[in-house]
């Protein structure tokens, strides 16, 4: 019987990263990177993890989680080189945080529901901010400005809702959405001032996030589905135009609309 090979440990990945960052014998690209240049890749890898989950592609999810882990190792390696902290400190920090924020698991506290745990989690985070000397006592404190804006909107709305500032059901959200769309229409009618349109369209998007929250729909997932649907149908339009012996750009808008309707009809079948 052939023994099952032992999978590499995290130490192997840390060693690979150290060799890649070696100033004399490492990879030139890896050596010249900084926290700022790597940050966009970190965000991209997190979204690719979400995409693999959305597609239920577990083999791809395995690979994408590896890519995301590499980002953590990359940042930790750069921090170690600068004398800030090492990978082990990152692990120790998150272990300490998870134990501290789950006293109902690791200590004698009790929580009755997931909702109660969420409230307790926020209270513990507020205590941690206070212990660090952060003076912001607002119910909105702790929402990172580094998040995508739609995600910041969602977190701000959830925090406001925890202190009762929320609509009781989805009806008023629809009313607010119609109100904001009417205000955008009015701005166009008044001459479409860019600053005013930015403000009013921002209000529409904020309410759309609120609508998704009340519907318990994941905003990012909904938009990914919409993007995928648009891309799928548009590519089918291109294929249909090619079958007819012309490019999509040579079609009139009415002809393109007809192709779009045909692509939609094919999906419904």
């Amino acid at each position: 019987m052939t023994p099952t090979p032992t999978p590499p440990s995290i130490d192997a990945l840390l060693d690979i990263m150290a060799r890649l960052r070696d100033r004399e014998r490492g990879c030139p690209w890896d050596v010249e990177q900084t926290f700022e240049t790597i940050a966009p890749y970190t965000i991209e890898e997190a979204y690719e993890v979400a995409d693999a989950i959305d597609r239920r592609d577990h083999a791809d999810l395995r690979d994408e989680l590896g890519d995301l882990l590499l980002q953590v190792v990359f940042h930790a390696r750069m921090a170690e080189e600068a004398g800030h902290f090492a990978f082990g400190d990152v692990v120790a920090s998150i272990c300490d945080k998870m134990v501290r924020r789950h006293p109902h698991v690791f200590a004698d506290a009790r929580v009755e529901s997931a909702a109660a745990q969420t409230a307790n989690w926020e209270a513990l985070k507020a205590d941690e901010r206070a212990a660090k000397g952060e003076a912001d006592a607002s119910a909105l404190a702790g929402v990172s400005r580094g998040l995508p804006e739609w995600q910041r909107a969602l977190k701000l709305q959830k925090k406001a809702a925890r202190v009762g500032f929320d609509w009781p059901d989805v009806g008023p959200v629809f009313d607010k959405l119609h109100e904001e769309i009417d205000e955008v229409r009015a701005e166009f009618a008044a001459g479409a001032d860019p600053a005013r349109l930015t403000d009013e369209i921002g209000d529409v998007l904020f309410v759309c996030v609120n609508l998704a929250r009340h519907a318990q729909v994941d905003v990012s997932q909904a938009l990914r589905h919409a993007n995928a649907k648009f891309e799928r149908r548009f590519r089918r339009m291109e294929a249909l135009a090619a079958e007819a012996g012309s490019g999509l750009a040579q079609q009139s808008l009415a002809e393109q609309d007809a192709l779009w309707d045909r692509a939609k009809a094919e999906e419904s079948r």
Side-chain angles (χ1 to χ4, degrees):
M1 179 177 178
T2 303
T4 302
T6 303
S9 69
I10 188 65
D11 290 335
L13 182 56
L14 294 172
D15 181 61
I16 289 170
M17 192 72 254
R19 293 183 63 180
L20 289 172
R21 288 279 297 178
D22 186 280
R23 297 290 172 179
E24 296 181 359
R25 294 174 293 177
C27 169
W29 185 90
D30 289 276
V31 168
E32 71 180 18
Q33 299 312 305
T34 65
F35 293 116
E36 291 76 16
T37 62
I38 289 297
Y41 296 102
T42 308
I43 296 169
E44 179 181 339
E45 295 300 350
Y47 276 110
E48 290 184 359
V49 166
D51 177 61
I53 292 171
D54 195 47
R55 292 183 285 105
R56 294 179 171 81
D57 188 334
H58 295 103
D60 198 29
L61 176 59
R62 175 201 61 209
D63 292 344
E64 296 301 345
L65 286 171
D67 291 343
L68 185 57
L69 177 59
L70 177 64
Q71 296 300 305
V72 177
V73 169
F74 208 141
H75 284 287
R77 179 63 195 178
M78 290 188 292
E80 183 175 3
E81 292 168 358
H84 301 314
F85 57 82
F87 180 80
D89 300 309
V90 175
V91 175
S93 177
I94 190 60
C95 287
D96 177 66
K97 184 184 296 183
M98 289 299 98
V99 171
R100 187 173 63 249
R101 292 186 181 177
H102 293 83
H104 57 294
V105 176
F106 300 103
D108 298 328
R110 294 179 61 84
V111 292
E112 303 301 326
S113 65
Q117 166 56 14
T118 298
N120 190 49
W121 179 277
E122 291 299 327
L124 288 166
K125 287 172 66 177
D127 290 343
E128 290 170 5
R129 289 194 296 271
K132 292 179 179 178
E134 297 179 16
D136 189 353
S138 170
L140 303 179
V143 179
S144 171
R145 295 188 179 277
L147 294 170
E149 293 303 330
W150 68 263
Q151 196 168 6
R152 282 202 82 231
L154 180 61
K155 285 184 175 289
L156 290 169
Q157 291 168 11
K158 284 183 175 180
K159 281 181 173 285
R162 291 192 185 106
V163 295
F165 189 68
D166 195 13
W167 283 299
D169 54 56
V170 76
V173 186
F174 279 115
D175 295 338
K176 188 64 175 176
L177 181 58
H178 286 300
E179 175 189 327
E180 297 296 353
I181 291 174
D182 287 342
E183 291 180 5
V184 173
R185 289 182 185 275
E187 290 301 331
F188 271 106
D193 175 75
R196 292 296 306 154
L197 282 176
T198 297
D199 188 56
E200 296 299 345
I201 291 175
D203 289 344
V204 171
L205 296 173
F206 191 85
V207 177
C208 285
V209 171
N210 220 333
L211 179 62
R213 180 174 65 87
H214 276 267
Q216 297 184 342
V217 168
D218 183 286
V219 179
S220 180
Q221 184 180 54
L223 191 54
R224 283 200 304 274
H225 285 182
N227 287 341
K229 180 166 57 179
F230 177 84
E231 182 177 8
R232 186 173 63 247
R233 290 175 179 175
F234 189 88
R235 288 179 180 275
R236 181 55 182 156
M237 288 170 60
E238 291 176 317
L240 290 171
E243 290 172 7
S246 68
L248 195 59
Q250 283 68 54
Q251 304 277 335
S252 68
L253 181 57
E255 291 170 328
Q256 290 179 348
D257 282 340
L259 291 176
W260 176 267
D261 290 339
R262 183 175 167 187
K264 285 180 59 178
E266 289 179 357
E267 287 188 357
S268 66
R269 292 198 297 268

